[in-house]
């Protein structure tokens, strides 16, 4: 076939112009991530490479230790040298937006482009600002009541979705030392107790902060919280208890219920040699996983709708970003690259974006196929029933934390970090004062937190 030289020249010129346009529009993005373990970094770098191949934008993945994140971001903002995108925990979303570190318009545009209805409502609500969303929700997890579903079924008990159901199960199943009804957190200097207590308070609609900051605890509802917590503590072994004892006793078959994070899911199934189930002679057995149920949202008598305690992570697009390219990267990470995002640690990265408008369960379904485990690997969907997977993911719809809805997360964090609530609850459990006096002591102590 004879080729026209003029046509060839024109085609070559057009190609050169196209390549030039791509080159001119391509950006090099800097991405700060707190997922700094080598295996997790490798996954993120692969996703960045895949995004570069698809978009032409290069992404430099920069690990940042989470405890240094606040200081580094503040210094970079002052120097006008922020990265383009930051993967960050919940507590920075609204403060950084207010300080000008984050571009809320860009984050809101990304959420709208992907479809607000495709995100878990609780995860979005935590980052909601007056102008839209401070950051884009990426992944999260909800604290869980982990319980022996087989024992509940044998006793004809309802799942522990409320204070009343938990206490009914304690009454039926508590038979120490063979079986403790619960293993409650009672070690006051452990963050584990702080998290468990916040979940229990939220379940009954009680918070130490409101729109104007610190507020008095509702006496009647707080007394219900205290009485419930004392009851589950009395159904626990004696001593200062935290995550270690609760997991060990559940794994040995000597606890009917515990409260734990989802990082227990792979261990329950015998996939981690450092924390094996000891319920039988096979440390790699999945028998305990098969006998387990979970509840993410549970309620108290003063809050029938209940609550789930959630920890959500976000992509923040900064005020110094190459905005269009940064938005492309975040959208890619939440769409074509979302499987890689979640695969970093599926047992602790629930999909806050369930799917797309065309396939509403696409990413939730994909997540269930991702391998979890350390010494052995298996998909969560092979280890747990579909209704349990749905419960795990569904907790993000109603996930809450003290102070988030009222823009008082920082104040709530100070109260939690002071551990005054832990101490006073423990003193009540130990009989040092009655419930009403304990509420009064809490209000006095909380008011003095700075």
């Amino acid at each position: 076939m004879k080729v026209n030289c003029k046509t060839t020249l024109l085609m070559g010129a057009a190609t050169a112009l196209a390549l030039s346009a791509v080159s001119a529009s391509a950006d090099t993005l800097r991405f700060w991530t707190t997922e700094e373990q080598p295996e997790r970094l490798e996954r993120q770098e692969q996703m960045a490479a895949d995004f570069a191949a698809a978009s032409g934008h290069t992404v430099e993945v920069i690990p940042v230790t989470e405890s240094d994140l606040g200081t580094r971001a503040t210094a970079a903002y002052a120097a006008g040298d922020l990265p383009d995108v930051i993967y960050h925990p919940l507590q920075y979303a609204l403060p950084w937006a207010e300080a000008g570190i984050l571009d809320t318009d860009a984050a809101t545009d990304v959420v709208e482009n992907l479809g607000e209805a495709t995100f878990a409502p609780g995860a979005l609500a935590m980052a909601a600002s007056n102008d839209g969303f401070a950051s884009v929700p990426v992944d999260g997890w909800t604290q869980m009541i982990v319980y022996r579903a087989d024992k509940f079924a044998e006793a004809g008990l309802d799942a522990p979705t409320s204070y009343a159901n938990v206490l009914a199960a304690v009454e039926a199943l508590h038979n120490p030392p063979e079986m403790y009804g619960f293993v409650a957190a009672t070690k006051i200097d452990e963050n584990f107790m702080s998290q468990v207590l916040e979940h229990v308070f939220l379940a009954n609609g009680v918070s130490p902060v409101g729109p104007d900051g610190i507020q008095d605890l509702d006496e009647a509802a707080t007394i219900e919280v205290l009485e419930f917590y004392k009851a589950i503590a009395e159904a626990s072994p004696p001593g200062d208890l935290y995550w270690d004892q609760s997991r060990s006793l559940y794994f040995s078959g000597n606890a009917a219920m515990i409260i734990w994070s989802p990082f227990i899911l792979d261990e329950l199934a015998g996939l981690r040699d450092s924390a094996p189930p000891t319920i039988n002679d096979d440390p790699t057995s999945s028998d305990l996983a098969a006998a387990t149920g979970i509840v993410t949202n549970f309620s108290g008598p003063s809050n029938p709708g209940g609550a789930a305690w959630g920890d959500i992570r976000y992509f923040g697009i900064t005020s110094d970003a190459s905005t269009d390219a940064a938005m492309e990267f975040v959208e890619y990470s939440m769409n074509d690259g979302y499987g890689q995002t979640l695969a970093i640690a599926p047992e602790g990265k629930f999909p806050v974006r369930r799917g797309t408008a065309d396939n509403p369960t696409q990413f939730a379904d994909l997540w269930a196929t991702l391998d979890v485990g350390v010494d052995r690997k298996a998909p969560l969907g092979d280890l747990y029933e579909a209704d349990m997977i749905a419960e795990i993911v569904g907790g993000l719809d109603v996930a809450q934390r003290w102070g988030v809805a009222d823009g008082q997360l920082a104040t709530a964090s100070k109260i939690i970090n002071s551990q005054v609530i832990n101490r006073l609850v423990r003193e009540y459990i130990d009989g040092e004062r009655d419930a009403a006096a304990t509420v009064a002591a809490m209000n006095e102590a909380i008011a003095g937190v700075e």
Side-chain angles (χ1 to χ4, degrees):
M1 182 178 70
K2 188 175 180 180
V3 179
N4 185 290
C5 292
K6 185 175 181 181
T7 302
T8 303
L9 287 170
L10 288 171
M11 289 174 63
T15 302
L17 284 170
L19 289 171
S20 175
V22 169
S23 176
S25 64
D27 287 291
T28 297
L29 302 175
R30 289 182 298 152
F31 170 48
W32 283 6
T33 175
T34 55
E35 297 286 12
E36 56 183 339
Q37 299 91 331
E39 185 178 338
R40 297 185 181 189
L41 272 178
E42 186 178 339
R43 286 187 180 274
Q44 292 167 96
E45 286 165 352
Q46 181 59 57
M47 186 182 71
D50 293 344
F51 170 70
S55 68
H57 303 304
T58 303
V59 179
E60 182 184 2
V61 180
I62 303 169
V64 178
T65 301
E66 187 167 317
S67 59
D68 297 336
L69 191 59
T71 303
R72 285 191 59 175
T74 301
Y77 177 59
D81 190 34
L82 285 165
D84 298 272
V85 179
I86 305 176
Y87 176 76
H88 65 82
L90 166 66
Q91 64 261 34
Y92 293 119
L94 294 176
W96 279 357
E98 291 171 4
I101 291 172
L102 297 179
D103 183 341
T104 59
D105 289 339
T108 303
D109 286 347
V110 168
V111 171
E112 291 176 351
N113 291 344
L114 293 172
E116 186 174 335
T118 67
F119 285 86
L124 279 178
M126 288 188 184
S129 67
N130 292 334
D131 302 319
F133 301 102
S135 300
V136 180
V138 182
D139 57 68
W141 56 270
T142 52
Q143 200 157 245
M144 311 181 305
I145 298 178
V146 180
Y147 69 98
R148 286 293 297 274
D150 57 337
K151 301 296 184 184
F152 273 64
E154 290 170 10
L157 296 164
D158 292 329
T161 55
S162 66
Y163 281 16
N165 288 1
V166 168
L167 295 177
V170 165
E171 178 69 24
L173 300 177
H174 183 58
N175 182 33
E178 288 80 14
M179 178 70 74
Y180 289 96
F182 215 102
V183 185
T186 56
K187 192 172 190 299
I188 63 174
D189 59 351
E190 281 278 339
N191 287 336
F192 181 68
M193 185 175 181
S194 301
Q195 290 182 4
V196 171
L197 276 176
E198 185 179 351
H199 192 180
V200 172
F201 273 74
L202 283 168
N204 206 37
V206 179
S207 174
V209 295
D212 299 321
I214 291 173
Q215 63 181 12
D216 280 350
L217 299 166
D218 179 274
E219 183 180 53
T222 306
I223 287 174
E224 291 170 342
V225 172
L226 291 171
E227 291 175 344
F228 171 75
Y229 207 80
K230 186 172 186 175
I232 63 172
E234 289 176 342
S236 305
D240 295 332
L241 307 173
Y242 58 106
W243 59 264
D244 187 41
Q245 296 95 335
S246 59
R247 182 179 65 182
S248 296
L249 285 161
Y250 191 83
F251 278 13
S252 65
N254 300 116
M257 291 173 281
I258 62 174
I259 292 180
W260 238 81
S261 79
F263 292 96
I264 202 171
L265 293 172
D266 59 337
E267 300 169 353
L268 269 174
L271 301 178
R272 187 189 294 257
D273 290 342
S274 62
T278 56
I279 194 170
N280 56 32
D281 294 333
D282 181 4
T284 68
S285 169
S286 62
D287 288 354
L288 185 56
T292 292
I294 63 106
V295 166
T296 54
N297 185 77
F298 86 117
S299 63
S302 292
N303 186 38
W309 186 98
D311 182 50
I312 313 296
R313 302 295 165 123
Y314 295 84
F315 281 139
I317 298 169
T318 75
S319 54
D320 291 341
S322 297
T323 307
D324 290 344
M327 288 174 61
E328 282 185 58
F329 174 64
V330 173
E331 289 182 23
Y332 178 87
S333 302
M334 297 299 299
N335 202 47
D336 292 346
Y338 199 31
Q340 290 169 284
T341 300
L342 300 173
I344 292 170
E347 68 276 12
K349 291 182 175 294
F350 302 173
V352 298
R353 188 170 186 239
R354 304 295 162 70
T356 64
D358 294 333
N359 184 355
T361 64
Q362 178 180 338
F363 301 124
D365 295 342
L366 172 63
W367 174 76
T369 71
L370 300 175
D371 282 345
V372 297
V374 175
D375 300 289
R376 287 158 297 282
K377 302 282 187 179
L380 281 169
D382 289 354
L383 303 173
Y384 300 103
E385 297 292 334
D387 59 346
M388 187 163 160
I389 297 289
E391 172 73 19
I392 291 169
V393 176
L396 292 172
D397 288 342
V398 290
Q400 295 182 36
R401 292 281 287 279
W402 278 341
V404 171
D406 298 313
Q408 296 290 339
L409 180 62
T411 301
S413 296
K414 290 178 183 177
I415 294 169
I416 292 164
N417 293 339
S418 75
Q419 298 178 328
V420 295
I421 292 178
N422 297 7
R423 176 175 57 82
L424 291 167
V425 169
R426 178 62 192 265
E427 290 174 1
Y428 166 72
I429 290 169
D430 291 342
E432 294 190 22
R433 65 179 66 81
D434 66 19
T438 300
V439 176
M442 282 183 180
N443 285 331
E444 182 178 353
I446 290 167
V449 171
E450 296 182 357

